[in-house]
Amino acid sequence: MTSVLWFRRDLRLTDHPALLAAHDEGEVLPLVVLEPGQVADERPPARRLRRSLAALHGATGGALVVRVGDPVHLVPRVAEAVGAERVHITRDTTPQGRERDAAAADELSASDRELVTTGSPYAIGPGLVRTSEDTPYKVFTPFARAWRDHGWPEPAGRPDVEWRREADLLEGLGDDALPAVLAAADEEAVDGRAGEEAALERWRTFLDDDLADYGTARDRPDLDATSRMSVHLAHGEIHPRTMLADLAAHPDGGSEGLQRFVTELAWREFYADVLWHRPDSAWRDLRGALADLPYDEGPETDRLVTAWREGRTGYPFVDAGMRQLAAEGFMHNRVRMVAASFLTKDLHVWWPVGARHFLDHLLDGDLASNSHGWQWVAGTGTDAAPYFRVFNPVRQGERFDPDGAYVRRWVPELAHLPGATAHSPWDHDEGHAHGYPQRVVDHAEERREALDRYERTRA
């Protein structure tokens, strides 16, 4: 019997429960359905997705089917064409994904076919870690403790799949996007290789070379000491269970770096859990306490937001991060927090404006982590009393880029400034000699304004 495996953000063949479920039924037709805009989109996330799909096509021995269209209608038609009674998927826990999958299940059932959900992109599926009162966790620390206590299954193996090759039966079912996907395999990429093999190779390198120092070096964007696994996780090229199993077996199991890395994985799972229970928090404040907080709008604010997006705020640590995002589709997490704080607290702009810009450009864009990470900074999310947290972009730069190397890498107008002076060019006689812009706002004044707005809202 033939079944369809509908790939989404689970672009691998190892530790893939839905693939195992499909394999148990016989031949498997591997299917990807893209939205029309994803084929020609030249932004970093869309290009990265196409390269990952090209790697998956090779891993399936050329059997991968890639079509363009509305999956709610297209997937059932593909299943009918190949005589599949079941379509297997990994559970999508995002609000839009849940709606889409419910609609696809209804469409399939109309022709006596079934959408079978197995596994999720997380070590523990969102919604499964609950308090002793059987309620969702609202704060990270107790969630992380319960998450660790809950535990997760061992990684699944990699089956020897018999792939169904019946592309001729699918003529007329959506536009064939495979040529565009295969063309992406030859693209030069600043973010490294894509696909499951690349993910596993990068993971092994991190375990061998960088894990030991991760606890102390992870906040230093100048050192490039992070795992860079977030991109692979976002595309499902590796499952977090695989990573956790490797960490559990690692000889440095009690090290600060290893435990810190597990905590970072827990943050990813926590934010997914929050979004599962509160799908409205994807683009709205999780907590309503600051619903009346005033934000700036209008032409002048638009000008400032454009300067922020383009890395021309006059604050080097912020600008370096925004320029790295534009060039690589990546930004170090410490710099993400500083850039987000600048937009929300210095420019007084509501966080979804920045969150959408990040999702449009980040290769590791993840709705739950992105939206709730922004809310953590903005003060509207899971943190108990965070609005007083206003990152000083100069002090953050001096602390986490102490020699200014990260800034000089991404802001060449400041390459002539030595050491930490790159973080405050206005204090140097030649600081603006090569065209670096003046500061668009005064941080100290805007910090006071942000806190004043908060106090007025509370009152």
Side-chain angles (χ1 to χ4, degrees), residues 394-416:
V394 178
R395 291 177 184 169
Q396 289 283 310
E398 291 171 344
R399 179 180 178 186
F400 296 110
D401 181 28
D403 191 46
Y406 177 73
V407 161
R408 283 189 293 274
R409 186 186 312 159
W410 292 106
V411 187
E413 307 99 297
L414 302 179
H416 63 293

Side-chain angles (χ1 to χ4, degrees), residues 211-222:
L211 179 62
D213 297 327
Y214 180 77
T216 55
R218 68 185 186 89
D219 270 325
R220 292 281 300 273
D222 57 324

Side-chain angles (χ1 to χ4, degrees), residues 9 73 121 184 200 256 297 334 343 348 352 383 415 435 457:
R9 290 211 163 185
H73 304 298
L200 294 171
E256 178 188 356
E297 296 178 322
R334 169 59 55 174
L343 183 72
H348 315 295
D383 206 339
T457 300

Side-chain angles (χ1 to χ4, degrees), residues 91-349:
R91 180 166 59 132
D92 190 331
T93 62
T94 63
Q96 184 178 1
R98 291 161 69 176
E99 292 179 4
R100 177 204 58 218
D101 290 351
D106 289 343
E107 191 91 1
L108 283 162
S109 66
S111 58
D112 294 324
R113 291 180 170 82
E114 183 182 1
L115 186 68
V116 181
T117 303
T118 310
S120 80
Y122 302 96
I124 304 173
L128 297 180
V129 178
R130 302 179 70 83
T131 70
S132 57
E133 289 79 30
D134 197 32
T135 59
Y137 282 95
K138 298 180 179 180
V139 179
F140 172 71
T141 300
F143 171 89
R145 188 181 304 116
W147 176 78
R148 289 175 185 253
D149 291 342
H150 184 286
W152 38 81
E154 288 296 313
R158 178 168 179 154
D160 184 13
V161 181
E162 183 178 357
W163 300 108
R164 177 75 180 268
R165 302 170 186 275
E166 295 288 354
D168 56 315
L169 296 177
L170 306 180
E171 289 295 329
L173 298 182
D175 293 331
D176 187 1
L178 189 58
V181 163
L182 296 181
D186 298 325
E187 293 179 356
E188 284 193 32
V190 297
D191 58 294
R193 295 166 53 230
E196 180 179 10
E197 182 180 332
L200 294 171
E201 181 180 321
R202 173 59 196 159
W203 177 234
R204 288 190 293 267
T205 298
F206 174 73
L207 291 176
D208 293 342
D209 299 344
D210 298 317
L211 179 62
D213 297 327
Y214 180 77
T216 55
R218 68 185 186 89
D219 270 325
R220 292 281 300 273
D222 57 324
L223 300 180
D224 195 22
T226 61
S227 70
R228 291 287 186 127
M229 293 301 297
S230 58
V231 177
H232 299 296
L233 282 167
H235 289 84
E237 296 167 348
I238 190 171
H239 198 285
R241 264 189 336 208
T242 298
M243 301 167 71
L244 287 163
D246 288 343
L247 291 168
H250 199 277
D252 295 333
S255 70
E256 178 188 356
L258 188 149
Q259 295 304 319
R260 183 69 250 184
F261 192 89
V262 173
T263 298
E264 294 304 311
L265 290 176
W267 272 107
R268 179 176 181 266
E269 307 243 336
F270 174 58
Y271 282 149
D273 192 75
V274 172
L275 185 62
W276 173 262
H277 293 290
R278 285 286 305 278
D280 59 305
S281 68
W283 298 110
R284 306 292 299 180
D285 292 348
L286 178 71
R287 296 189 301 117
L290 298 180
D292 295 327
L293 186 72
Y295 297 100
D296 289 352
E297 296 178 322
E300 176 59 15
T301 298
D302 292 344
R303 183 186 71 81
L304 294 173
V305 171
T306 297
W308 175 81
R309 287 172 174 155
E310 296 177 353
R312 296 185 294 102
T313 69
Y315 286 90
F317 202 49
V318 173
D319 291 343
M322 298 306 294
R323 295 185 190 190
Q324 182 185 21
L325 176 64
E328 290 190 343
F330 181 83
M331 191 192 304
H332 188 281
N333 189 59
R334 169 59 55 174
V335 191
R336 294 187 199 196
M337 292 189 290
V338 176
S341 179
F342 190 85
L343 183 72
T344 57
K345 306 290 176 66
D346 288 61
L347 303 186
H348 315 295
V349 174

